[in-house]
Amino acid sequence: MERMKREVLEAVSERQLQSFKSQFIKETGFPVAKEELRSFQYAKEVLEILGVETKLSFHDSFVSLPIHARLSLQGEEFQCSTHAMSTSTGEIGLNGKLRYVKRLDENTAASKEIVLTEGTVSPAAVRMAEKAGAKAVIFIESETVRKALSIDGAEDNANSAPHYFSSIPVLLMNENEGDKLKNSWSQAAGEPCCWLMTEVETGWREVPTLTAEIRNPVSTDFIQASSTIDSAESAETNAILLEMARVLSSQNLFFDKSIRLLFLSKHYQVSWEEQQSECLLHLHLDDRHHEGFELRKGSLPAAARALIQAERNSRKSGITDLKADCQQHLALILEACTDQLPFARKTDEEGFKEAK
């Protein structure tokens, strides 16, 4: 058994992982657009070539897409984007005096101005700007601007979405553009006037889900690993899923449980409880989309628990190694799928319900 596991892990190819990753970076674009669907179709084509059973399905999801934004100060244009769950201004746009506030808080003075601030977009920060009477708010983010990230991904669903709509336009820009805007603002005479325009499409749309399964015909239980096709940032975990499928399908192995690989849209909203009552363990591979491990049913063998802890420790170190990550996830799946004893049907008491 140990020899078999070792051979499977040694079959992981750095070259193949990088090839998959490059293709996802090339194909992935704006969520719920043609580029995103191309990424799902690419993954489906690869899986079918590998002989893995696949299903590409669609379901309705409440989605907010930032389409376009413009911003100018005294005729000078600045690169920016708008935000999901934000307000569209229309083509005419919106004019107002620009006011710089380094950090928004509950005591931010009220004014009917366009507020420029620093930090990551959050519901709390947007509400503070609204409370202060801002006509619009512009965030300077320290990280790379992610146009597809909704205001609160953890609560972005059809039931809660109305509570997170912004009543004012929300824009964001990176540090370089933010510094340029601040310099232009500080050097301008008097009270400089700013103009901005935003376009956001919000409503119900069909979003894709791709399911791949290496099936055990005599067992309904399965182990599941998932990744989100969202942007170049999730290309690594998408590549890991494809490489796991390639390695597992090429070994002609018989597993005690089925293995299911799931490629999700950023806007996936279907309940796990409704569809996956036979899922024993769900591995979320994405750093930005609830990465971790969720024990669905029963408890894990000790060896699998040790692998989970090792995975957590490597995540905390901040060191990334695509091949090592793939081997670590694959080792956990193998341990869970080939354990000779059945999973104990009892409540997990060692804190493995969630990774975080």
Side-chain angles (χ1 to χ4, degrees):
M1 185 66 69
E2 290 303 316
R3 178 182 176 184
M4 178 274 291
K5 292 178 182 177
R6 185 170 62 253
E7 289 177 351
V8 170
L9 297 181
E10 289 175 352
V12 174
S13 165
E14 176 72 27
R15 179 180 177 184
Q16 190 63 70
L17 279 163
Q18 294 297 339
S19 176
F20 288 147
K21 176 184 173 181
S22 297
Q23 191 63 31
F24 275 115
I25 291 174
K26 177 182 176 182
E27 295 289 356
T28 305
F30 210 54
V32 200
K34 292 181 180 179
E35 290 84 354
E36 185 196 42
L37 184 55
R38 282 210 308 265
S39 294
F40 279 90
Q41 291 170 336
Y42 163 69
K44 186 174 186 293
E45 290 170 3
V46 171
L47 291 164
E48 288 176 344
I49 290 172
L50 296 173
V52 178
E53 178 184 333
T54 65
K55 179 182 178 182
L56 181 61
S57 58
F58 296 84
H59 72 277
D60 289 334
S61 185
F62 193 81
V63 174
S64 184
L65 297 177
I67 303 300
H68 181 57
R70 290 180 61 191
L71 172 67
S72 67
L73 180 69
Q74 294 187 320
E76 182 182 1
E77 292 266 351
F78 298 87
Q79 293 183 2
C80 63
S81 61
T82 186
H83 215 280
M85 301 298 177
S86 179
T87 300
S88 294
T89 63
E91 294 183 3
I92 296 177
L94 182 152
N95 287 285
K97 294 177 181 178
L98 186 65
R99 175 189 175 200
Y100 174 66
V101 179
K102 186 173 180 61
R103 285 287 185 270
L104 290 168
D105 58 40
E106 293 294 341
N107 298 317
T108 300
S111 66
K112 294 289 184 180
E113 297 170 315
I114 296 172
V115 173
L116 174 66
T117 189
E118 300 192 33
T120 304
V121 181
S122 70
V126 173
R127 290 192 191 101
M128 290 174 189
E130 292 171 328
K131 183 180 177 181
K135 298 176 71 174
V137 59
I138 307 164
F139 288 87
I140 301 172
E141 293 202 327
S142 58
E143 299 180 356
T144 302
V145 171
R146 286 169 48 82
K147 294 183 292 184
L149 185 66
S150 54
I151 281 182
D152 191 344
E155 296 176 283
D156 180 16
N157 57 56
N159 293 326
S160 65
H163 301 291
Y164 293 94
F165 283 138
S166 170
S167 63
I168 60 176
V170 178
L171 290 83
L172 54 159
M173 56 177 51
N174 60 33
E175 283 184 302
N176 289 336
E177 287 299 304
D179 288 342
K180 286 167 56 179
L181 179 57
K182 286 190 293 184
N183 289 335
S184 297
W185 173 78
S186 62
Q187 295 172 11
E191 297 180 325
C193 187
C194 179
W195 175 86
L196 59 87
M197 184 276 290
T198 60
E199 181 183 358
V200 181
E201 291 185 1
T202 301
W204 291 93
R205 290 171 176 262
E206 281 194 338
V207 297
T209 299
L210 176 62
T211 304
E213 189 156 6
I214 300 173
R215 192 181 298 276
N216 179 331
V218 298
S219 174
T220 58
D221 291 339
F222 62 92
I223 307 297
Q224 179 167 272
S226 65
S227 178
T228 307
I229 293 183
D230 178 16
S231 67
E233 295 175 11
S234 63
E236 289 191 354
T237 52
N238 299 154
I240 286 174
L241 282 190
L242 283 187
E243 179 63 1
M244 288 197 298
R246 185 191 70 81
V247 171
L248 292 171
S249 64
S250 65
Q251 299 296 311
N252 295 318
L253 302 172
F254 178 81
F255 298 104
D256 295 342
K257 304 163 187 73
S258 296
I259 299 172
R260 184 173 295 182
L261 307 176
L262 205 59
F263 295 84
L264 303 172
S265 166
K266 160 67 173 67
H267 304 277
Y268 183 80
Q269 293 168 357
V270 174
S271 168
W272 294 116
E273 300 296 336
E274 293 175 1
Q275 294 197 351
Q276 302 177 359
S277 60
E278 302 304 320
C279 179
L280 298 174
L281 178 71
H282 183 185
L283 286 70
H284 312 270
L285 305 191
D286 293 332
D287 289 327
R288 288 182 175 266
H289 296 283
H290 316 294
E291 175 270 326
F293 303 86
E294 180 185 4
L295 184 65
R296 301 292 302 176
K297 186 171 158 184
S299 61
L300 289 174
R305 293 176 180 278
L307 287 166
I308 286 178
Q309 192 59 54
E311 166 67 11
R312 290 178 182 174
N313 293 337
S314 67
R315 291 285 178 184
K316 290 178 181 178
S317 72
I319 300 172
T320 57
D321 183 326
L322 195 56
K323 182 176 179 179
D325 283 350
C326 184
Q327 289 174 324
Q328 202 160 30
H329 289 302
L330 196 53
L332 175 56
I333 288 176
L334 290 173
E335 198 66 49
C337 284
T338 59
D339 187 70
Q340 296 304 302
L341 297 175
F343 280 14
R345 303 301 184 186
K346 61 182 180 180
T347 302
D348 176 56
E349 298 177 351
E350 297 185 29
F352 287 89
K353 288 284 185 181
E354 296 177 350
K356 296 184 179 179

